[in-house]
Amino acid sequence: MTDRPTLVVVPAFQEEQALPGTLKELRDVVPDLAVLVVDDGSRDGTARVAATCDVAVARLPFNLGVGAAVRTGLRYAVEEGYGRVVVVDADGQHDPATIKSLLDALDAGAEMAIGSRFADPSATNTFEVGRVRRRAMKLLHRVVRWQTGQSFTDTTSGFRAFDAPVVAMLARDYPVEYLADTVEVLLMVSRAGYRVVEVPVAMRTRSGGQPSTRRLKLVYNYLRLMIGITASASRRHIAPPKERP
């Protein structure tokens, strides 16, 4: 296990309703972990609520997207000397009790652990996937398997843990576009020679607020992502790291 502390990064946009419950649960379940809320240009009381919950808060001047919020959190982790980062949604869908399983996967030798909603078909899961998203996710699964040689059950999960070498790399290069912040990150880390594993998790229903992504926007982002992935297939892979701390 790393001797440097772990930071939980909570990207948040218009999450005034759900955020207090999420932060309370984090405090109750993983009280030893530091928490940073990155307010992604919210117009409601997200930043104010976070500031009253005794956690660190970073505010972006306007809405840049979840990728930019996560990258901000990763840069904060590097600057403040955190060895590992766990990304948790502000809306309560990610169960903080599973954070330990993600960190255990890093202890076992992985540099990135993904909380997969689909790795355990027998698990109780209240997360529902619409028809458009389900088809797109199946296609992304095939594309990622083609590019990495690995079969991942949940390429778009945002519930992830990163070890120190990956934190350092992604703090510089984390994609900011929607979906790129999950799928392209998975490709980047795999191409760099780091080990990526999945950990079964149960996804819960949103505890408050409204999702920010709608159907037409989803279709656009899936198409943009597919074009980007296909275009990058001919690029040279990043050489695996020679040394890892």
Side-chain angles (χ1 to χ4, degrees):
M1 179 180 290
T2 179
D3 59 353
R4 288 191 287 171
T6 297
L7 176 69
V8 178
V9 173
V10 184
F13 175 64
Q14 307 286 80
E15 294 291 0
E16 178 182 10
Q17 294 181 25
L19 188 59
T22 298
L23 296 179
K24 180 182 184 303
E25 193 172 12
L26 284 168
R27 183 171 61 249
D28 292 343
V29 177
V30 285
D32 56 325
L33 301 186
V35 177
L36 169 71
V37 173
V38 182
D39 175 26
D40 186 21
S42 300
R43 298 181 301 277
D44 64 359
T46 294
R48 173 181 52 79
V49 166
T52 65
C53 292
D54 195 27
V55 298
V57 182
R59 299 192 66 179
L60 301 183
F62 46 86
N63 181 232
L64 296 173
V66 64
V70 173
R71 185 165 65 182
T72 298
L74 292 168
R75 289 180 175 177
Y76 176 93
V78 171
E79 292 172 359
E80 297 298 321
Y82 289 94
R84 290 174 171 177
V85 168
V86 182
V87 180
V88 175
D89 281 355
D91 58 16
Q93 292 191 86
H94 297 160
D95 185 353
T98 317
I99 290 176
K100 183 180 184 303
S101 298
L102 294 175
L103 296 177
D104 285 347
L106 300 187
D107 288 339
E111 281 91 13
M112 173 175 165
I114 301 172
S116 171
R117 298 161 285 188
F118 314 115
D120 183 3
S122 65
T124 301
N125 204 326
T126 58
F127 181 77
E128 296 183 1
V129 181
R131 183 187 306 174
V132 172
R133 180 173 291 187
R134 186 184 303 111
R135 290 178 177 175
M137 290 171 72
K138 287 182 178 179
L139 180 57
L140 287 173
H141 168 80
R142 296 189 185 99
V143 171
V144 171
R145 183 174 57 186
W146 163 55
Q147 292 219 13
T148 67
Q150 294 180 260
S151 182
F152 296 99
T153 62
D154 197 349
T155 59
T156 61
S157 170
F159 192 15
R160 300 180 171 191
F162 307 111
D163 211 349
V166 174
V167 171
M169 180 181 77
L170 295 180
R172 300 188 308 267
D173 303 321
Y174 201 93
V176 299
E177 294 84 2
Y178 179 70
L179 289 178
D181 64 291
T182 52
V183 181
E184 287 187 16
V185 166
L186 175 55
L187 294 175
M188 288 169 59
V189 174
S190 297
R191 289 170 179 166
Y194 294 114
R195 184 184 174 206
V196 182
V197 300
E198 289 186 313
V199 174
V201 300
M203 187 70 70
R204 306 179 299 192
T205 56
R206 165 181 279 274
S207 62
Q210 296 293 325
S212 57
T213 303
R214 301 302 181 187
R215 185 171 180 177
L216 290 177
K217 188 176 179 181
L218 269 176
V219 172
Y220 165 78
N221 280 298
Y222 277 120
L223 289 174
R224 181 203 57 75
L225 178 63
M226 290 303 302
I227 293 172
I229 291 175
T230 302
S232 68
S234 60
R235 298 174 187 167
R236 294 176 58 186
H237 288 188
I238 302 173
K242 294 181 179 179
E243 296 182 2
R244 300 177 185 174

